[in-house]
Amino acid sequence: MTQTATLSRPALGYSALLAIGMAATIGSALGFQYIGGYVPCALCLEQRQPYYYGIPVAILAGLSALAGLPAWITRTLLAIAGILMVVGGGIGVYHAGVEWHFWEGPATCASGGSTAAAPKAGELLGQLNTLKGPSCTEAALRVLGLSMAGWNVIASVILAAIAFTGFRKSA
C-alpha cells in the first residue's frame, strides 16, 4: 500500500501540472479570441483540438493516480496526453510554416474573409454562410517575433515534456 501511495504522488503532480498547463494555454487562446477580439483562422482552431482532448485525459491520469489504480493506467493516460501535445506541436509547426510562407496552407485558409458584423440581426443571419475566418498565412499578432502558432509549439513541447516525464517517473 505504501509503495502504491509513493508511486502515485509524482504521477498526481505531473498530471495536475499538465492539466493546469493545458487549461492555461487554451484559456489564453480563448481569451485572445473573446476578450482581445482576435478571430482565429481554421488552423488556429485545429491547434486547439489536442488541448480539448488532452485536458480530460490529464485529469483522468490524476484521478487514476489519486485513486491508487495500477500504475500502467496512469502511465498510459500520461503517454496519451504527451502524444496529443506532440500532435498539437506538429500542427503549430505546420501553421507557423504557413505563416512564414515556407509551404502552402490548406484550401480552407486560402484567403481572408470578412468578419464585419451586419447592422441588423436579419442581415447577420444571412451573412453566416458567407463569412470566413481570417487567412492562415498572416499572423494576427507576433510577440517577441513569434506568432501564436509559434508560442503554441513552445507550450506543446513543454507540456509534452511534462507528460513524458510523469510517464517515466511513475513507473
Side-chain angles (χ1 to χ4, degrees), residues 2-16 65-66 169-170:
T2 314
Q3 185 180 9
T4 305
T6 56
L7 286 177
S8 68
R9 285 188 192 141
L12 178 60
Y14 285 105
S15 299
L66 188 63
K169 294 209 174 185
S170 61

Side-chain angles (χ1 to χ4, degrees), residues 43-44 46-48 50-51 84-106 136-137 142 146-158:
L43 283 176
C44 292
E46 192 71 28
Q47 287 178 91
R48 295 177 185 183
Y51 292 95
L84 284 167
M85 289 299 92
V86 169
V87 168
I91 297 169
V93 167
Y94 175 69
H95 188 186
V98 170
E99 290 174 344
W100 287 101
H101 306 289
F102 291 149
W103 45 73
E104 293 278 327
C136 297
T137 60
R142 289 196 188 274
L146 289 177
S147 67
M148 287 187 252
W151 286 107
N152 177 55
V153 172
I154 292 172
S156 294
V157 167
I158 291 169

Side-chain angles (χ1 to χ4, degrees), residues 65-80:
L66 188 63
L69 295 179
W72 70 267
I73 295 172
T74 305
R75 294 182 77 223
T76 299
L77 291 167
L78 284 169
I80 291 169

